[in-house]
Amino acid sequence: METRPYDPETDAAGLWELKERFEHELGALGGEEKADSYGGKLTDDYRERYLDWVAQCVERDPDSVTVAADGTDLAGYVFVLPEELAMIWDAAVLNELYVRESSRGTDLADELMAAAYDCARDQELPLDRIMLDVDRENGPAGGLYARHGFESWGELRARDL
């Protein structure tokens, strides 16, 4: 398995496949309403907007998205927001990390985390830390982040518009 920077020209279809899995798995953590909400947004328009946004982020920082590739198939990815977009939390922001189910239990998540740390260390932000948002119901992800030394720091809250 090779980890390397994301290439919008060759990796977009594979990234989107993983992104869809990521969203469906997150939605499944919260019952039918959450599953419908997460699954419902996965339209063709959302796909195009998401992949365009990822390409823009990679233009700003080529290391912001790292993929794990087994030949031409992607097994996982990590997405760290580029520095100018990370200012929302005044720290590096680990936006997404996903590993295909068949590659879980290997060291792939750790390799992707290492790529995220490398990207984050290159950013010049007010706080020398990396932040992320993880669903409380996502025990495996919470365990990975705890093993990597992440601690609770506040609580993210949201409401419908």
Side-chain angles (χ1 to χ4, degrees):
M1 190 77 54
E2 167 195 23
T3 57
R4 59 173 172 72
Y6 168 76
D7 180 348
E9 298 295 319
T10 60
D11 296 330
L15 179 66
W16 179 249
E17 179 190 338
L18 295 176
K19 171 67 171 171
E20 283 183 307
R21 290 171 183 259
F22 175 79
E23 295 293 340
H24 283 297
E25 288 181 27
L26 280 178
L29 295 173
E32 189 175 328
E33 184 177 335
K34 187 174 179 181
D36 289 346
S37 175
Y38 276 68
K41 75 178 183 180
L42 298 173
T43 63
D44 289 339
D45 179 59
Y46 181 84
R47 176 189 186 277
E48 186 175 319
R49 289 178 57 212
Y50 175 80
L51 291 174
D52 285 347
W53 179 59
V54 171
Q56 290 172 24
C57 288
V58 169
E59 269 184 41
R60 290 180 169 141
D61 181 352
D63 294 326
S64 65
V65 180
T66 298
V67 296
D70 186 8
T72 58
D73 294 329
L74 298 187
Y77 71 96
V78 65
F79 183 178
V80 175
L81 294 182
E83 183 175 320
E84 62 270 19
L85 299 177
M87 292 298 289
I88 191 166
W89 283 352
D90 288 335
V93 177
L94 195 162
N95 186 55
E96 294 174 357
L97 170 70
Y98 183 78
V99 173
R100 182 185 301 276
E101 192 170 352
S102 61
S103 295
R104 294 178 191 161
T106 68
D107 62 351
L108 185 55
D110 295 323
E111 290 178 37
L112 291 170
M113 289 297 295
Y117 300 146
D118 288 343
C119 180
R121 285 184 189 107
D122 289 341
Q123 296 183 5
E124 295 181 28
L125 296 165
L127 297 178
D128 192 22
R129 62 178 44 229
I130 186 167
M131 307 283 292
L132 59 86
D133 168 34
V134 62
D135 194 307
R136 276 184 220 164
E137 303 299 319
N138 193 342
L144 170 72
Y145 298 134
R147 188 166 48 81
H148 276 264
F150 284 81
E151 300 173 348
S152 294
W153 202 47
E155 184 176 330
L156 188 64
R157 297 178 185 231
R159 62 161 275 199
D160 291 338
L161 295 176

